Amino acid sequence: MADNPSGLVIETYKLTKIYQNRQIALNDVTLSIEPGSVLGLLGPNGAGKTTFLRLVLGLHRPTAGWVKLFGKTMSPNAADLRRRMGYIPTNPQFPAGMTPITYLDYVARLFGLTSDSRKPRLASLIRAVDLLPVSGEPIAGFSNGMTSRLAVAASLINEPDLLIWDEPTHGLDPEARRSMLELIKRLSREKSLIVSSHNLSDVDEVCNHAAVLSRGQLIYNGSLQDLKGRMRRNHYELDLEGDQKAITKATAAIKNMTEFKTVSLKQRRLELRLNDDSTNTSALANVFMTLADSKVTLVSIRSVGQQTEQAFLDLVEKEESRGFARAYQVEEAA
Amino acid sequence: MDIPAPVKALKINRWLPYLAVLQSDMRQTQRSWVYRLWVMASVLSAVGYLLYHVGVYQKAGMVQLASTVLSDLLLWTVLGSVTLIIVLTASCISAERGTVADSVLSRGISRYQYFMAKWHARLITVIGTFLVLGGGALACSYFFLQEDLSLMGSIVAMLTVALLLMMVISLGVTFSAVASSTLVGITFLWLLVYGVGFLLTLLPARFPSPYRMLTNLPHVLRGDYSLHDLGQLATYSGVLSIGAALVGLIIFSRRDV
């Protein structure tokens, strides 16, 4: 820790990338990642996720600001820092004519691993990712799942402290996806990870931190729990049981309540949308009272919408609705 | 997937990334169609040219001086091959631009090491191949034609051509690291090499010109060489090659990939 006084794995400060004075890909991103974090990098297409990862890897140079890894500034020549990282791109490309053994050997040599270290390591990894039967076959004929497993092995060959996986479940079948998520969970016990994904349920399952990018700007950086806490809880579905007339009567009574924007009944499922200024606890308490008075049984109640997804969409929507107000905030902050 | 736990600390050799790219690039170059076309065209044209002169010498009895035949062969092989060598070198980095970032530069290698490995790999492959082919032609000329070759003169002649090729290769690798696309790099380098080569022939004889050096090869092969001229060429070639490589290195280490 002596060479890393902050103790942070990644630290960025006012990180900005403008391509050829034409496109602002990333704007003023300041964030830090602590050891042991699993950061979910979220954002719609073109939000700047890949640009951010490339800046962290030193493949691109920042137009302004800086990136520090393990307390040292990242640059295109910082091979020592990249030796502590494992990277999987969105669609891993492999050199033509190589087999898993020759490819992993090549990658290990790119990390500077001596023969004594790399040969046993690559053999163990090939076995671990279930590529032993095809270890001498050309990679060109591999399926998506097999190439993903090979990319995982390549990203782990140098025993990195930080893993950067860009869309690791992209193009995988459900079984392979499940296996990949389990692997991330296992790795997160001893390593720090950045997982960029469009699949919000994946992020929800494996990450404990989230960073949300929108049009190159960081609009959220914090724990996943806090992100979910920002979600508007104003849409509920209630499954009811009892006499149909009693359910209809209770629904009519609920429709008269001012807390709700819409109330609709489809067979025995009651759908409620609260007004933005309503408090969900008191509104739902009134609903329960009405149902109890009408002798209707509540079978189940759920908040509608996948939680992380809803929170993410809310954030992006909120950011976009601010319009020119964003400029005032910048002025105020300055 | 059950990832194995590390058993002991990994040993690192900081030169291995450079060696990995060097070896991989040499293998890759030898598998490329441009390289194979260059070797095949050079071998076929040399064999055909030598057979013709051997036939004229042995059957018709007309004296065919090895120095003249070999220098012609070197001159036209070099002039013809330069285009293929330009294609071979000016594409070495730019042709991989789509995959090099994700598959190589995201690993534990610096841009400096990557560029140097590419530059050295192309120098070794192209100059090594030229020396092997030229050595073969030299041996054939020595045994089958009117032998008037001097050993030192032959070495100087081969070195002269190798030094000229070194400049083209270094410029090619630099252009491939700097140019926005392979086609642009090849086009500019081709215009530069042939254009400057032609312009230099228009200058007075005291100025060095690649064409004049190549046409002087018969004398050099017979032993009429100047080590001073060779040293001067080595200096020019070294300065230009290292200068070009430095420019390429600096630009490549600062650009986005």
Side-chain angles (χ1 to χ4, degrees):
Chain A
M1 203 67 84
D3 57 344
N4 184 9
S6 67
L8 296 170
V9 177
I10 297 180
E11 202 180 351
T12 71
Y13 177 72
K14 291 186 176 291
L15 195 61
T16 302
K17 183 66 188 176
I18 303 173
Y19 290 111
Q20 295 159 347
N21 286 333
R22 286 182 191 162
Q23 187 199 352
I24 300 170
L26 209 63
N27 179 10
D28 203 11
V29 172
T30 300
L31 64 79
S32 54
I33 299 172
E34 291 174 1
S37 295
V38 184
L39 178 82
L41 192 60
L42 301 168
N45 285 335
K49 300 188 296 291
T50 301
T51 301
F52 177 77
L53 295 182
R54 287 181 168 260
L55 287 165
V56 169
L57 283 158
L59 298 173
H60 288 189
R61 294 175 75 235
T63 310
W66 47 254
V67 182
K68 279 186 181 174
L69 271 102
F70 309 106
K72 292 179 182 167
T73 306
M74 176 48 96
S75 75
N77 284 302
D80 284 348
L81 294 179
R82 276 194 292 273
R83 264 185 215 117
R84 299 178 67 180
M85 302 162 78
Y87 173 56
I88 302 182
T90 312
N91 290 306
Q93 303 281 321
F94 301 100
M98 282 196 174
T99 66
I101 292 175
T102 55
Y103 176 68
L104 288 181
D105 189 63
Y106 179 57
V107 172
R109 289 166 74 209
L110 287 175
F111 281 114
L113 303 188
T114 58
S115 186
D116 287 352
S117 296
R118 73 174 182 268
K119 298 290 182 187
R121 181 77 183 149
L122 78 86
S124 309
L125 279 168
I126 284 176
R127 187 183 294 274
V129 297
D130 297 329
L131 289 176
L132 201 58
V134 291
S135 57
E137 305 282 325
I139 303 168
F142 281 16
S143 66
N144 277 348
M146 288 156 89
T147 52
S148 291
R149 280 183 274 153
L150 184 58
V152 166
S155 77
L156 293 170
I157 198 144
N158 54 326
E159 289 171 13
D161 299 316
L162 169 67
L163 290 164
I164 296 181
W165 288 6
D166 197 356
E167 305 268 358
T169 54
H170 179 77
L172 297 183
D173 60 49
E175 193 187 345
R177 184 176 152 268
R178 170 62 25 213
S179 180
M180 183 70 83
L181 294 176
E182 290 303 324
L183 175 65
I184 293 173
K185 283 184 198 169
R186 184 169 298 186
L187 288 167
S188 68
R189 290 177 205 150
E190 53 192 45
K191 297 179 192 299
S192 306
L193 280 102
I194 299 181
V195 180
S196 162
S197 182
H198 284 298
N199 192 332
L200 296 165
S201 66
D202 290 353
V203 170
D204 204 9
E205 187 173 338
V206 298
C207 297
N208 50 30
H209 281 72
V212 182
L213 288 167
S214 173
R215 296 181 180 182
Q217 200 140 29
L218 186 68
I219 57 173
Y220 178 80
N221 174 31
S223 75
L224 202 61
Q225 287 301 321
D226 288 348
L227 178 64
K228 288 177 185 173
R230 289 179 174 222
M231 192 182 74
R232 288 200 305 263
R233 292 191 178 86
N234 63 355
H235 188 185
Y236 296 91
E237 277 182 358
L238 288 76
D239 288 327
L240 308 174
E241 201 173 80
D243 182 39
Q244 189 63 45
K245 281 183 184 172
I247 293 173
T248 310
K249 189 183 158 195
T251 305
I254 293 166
K255 276 182 179 172
N256 289 330
M257 294 178 184
T258 54
E259 293 99 327
F260 297 103
K261 201 189 298 181
T262 59
V263 176
S264 62
L265 180 69
K266 288 173 188 164
Q267 294 182 335
R268 290 174 177 233
R269 177 169 291 175
L270 184 64
E271 198 176 319
L272 306 172
R273 281 178 195 271
L274 275 78
N275 288 318
D276 287 343
D277 53 351
S278 302
T279 313
N280 58 358
T281 45
S282 63
L284 288 174
N286 291 336
V287 169
F288 294 152
M289 295 277 282
T290 308
L291 292 174
D293 291 347
S294 306
K295 296 196 170 30
V296 174
T297 310
L298 179 65
V299 177
S300 68
I301 178 169
R302 63 185 164 276
S303 173
V304 177
Q306 215 282 328
Q307 285 203 328
T308 311
E309 187 162 347
Q310 190 60 50
F312 162 71
L313 292 173
D314 284 352
L315 268 177
V316 174
E317 189 185 321
K318 192 176 160 192
E319 173 65 17
E320 288 181 1
S321 69
R322 284 171 63 208
F324 294 143
R326 283 187 288 261
Y328 295 122
Q329 193 188 34
V330 171
E331 294 279 314
E332 284 163 16
Chain B
M1 281 184 271
D2 199 10
I3 298 305
V7 283
K8 56 181 180 180
L10 298 173
K11 288 184 207 156
I12 300 288
N13 177 346
R14 287 173 195 281
W15 286 99
L16 264 180
Y18 164 83
L19 289 173
V21 175
L22 182 88
Q23 287 174 356
S24 160
D25 190 75
M26 284 170 65
R27 265 199 299 270
Q28 191 185 323
T29 307
Q30 285 160 26
R31 279 202 295 257
S32 76
W33 67 267
V34 182
Y35 175 81
R36 289 177 179 180
L37 181 67
W38 172 50
V39 172
M40 212 152 61
S42 301
V43 168
L44 288 177
S45 58
V47 167
Y49 193 71
L50 280 171
L51 277 179
Y52 169 74
H53 284 280
V54 168
V56 170
Y57 175 51
Q58 293 189 344
K59 301 292 176 194
M62 293 167 70
V63 173
Q64 301 292 309
L65 295 174
S67 58
T68 313
V69 173
L70 191 62
S71 63
D72 279 352
L73 196 59
L74 288 175
L75 171 68
W76 292 111
T77 305
V78 168
L79 287 181
S81 299
V82 163
T83 298
L84 286 175
I85 292 171
I86 286 171
V87 174
L88 203 59
T89 55
S91 61
C92 75
I93 294 176
S94 54
E96 293 179 352
R97 193 147 284 160
T99 56
V100 73
D102 288 343
S103 60
V104 180
L105 296 175
S106 61
R107 316 292 179 186
I109 184 168
S110 70
R111 297 278 179 93
Y112 297 146
Q113 283 186 318
Y114 179 78
F115 182 90
M116 297 293 269
K118 283 280 183 184
W119 179 38
H120 293 159
R122 299 286 158 145
L123 280 174
I124 292 168
T125 308
V126 175
I127 293 179
T129 304
F130 163 74
L131 290 176
V132 169
L133 295 180
L138 203 67
C140 290
S141 306
Y142 181 81
F143 288 115
F144 299 117
L145 296 171
Q146 176 72 33
E147 195 273 307
D148 63 340
L149 300 172
S150 115
L151 178 65
M152 270 309 287
S154 302
I155 292 170
V156 170
M158 296 294 275
L159 282 176
T160 303
V161 178
L163 288 168
L164 291 173
L165 289 179
M166 188 168 95
M167 286 190 274
V168 177
I169 296 162
S170 303
L171 285 169
V173 175
T174 296
F175 270 66
S176 78
V178 172
S180 55
S181 78
T182 305
L183 195 62
V184 171
I186 290 171
T187 309
F188 274 95
L189 183 60
W190 194 89
L191 289 172
L192 180 78
V193 169
Y194 282 95
V196 170
F198 174 71
L199 288 176
L200 285 172
T201 59
L202 301 179
L203 294 175
R206 66 176 182 279
F207 291 98
S209 147
Y211 186 75
R212 276 198 287 271
M213 286 174 195
L214 291 172
T215 50
N216 192 41
L217 285 180
H219 306 291
V220 175
L221 284 163
R222 281 195 290 270
D224 184 12
Y225 57 84
S226 157
L227 285 178
H228 174 261
D229 287 352
L230 183 69
Q232 202 176 33
L233 176 64
T235 309
Y236 288 146
S237 177
V239 168
L240 185 77
S241 299
I242 292 170
L246 266 177
V247 170
L249 192 68
I250 291 166
I251 295 176
F252 184 64
S253 68
R254 297 176 68 84
R255 74 180 305 171
D256 297 337
V257 291

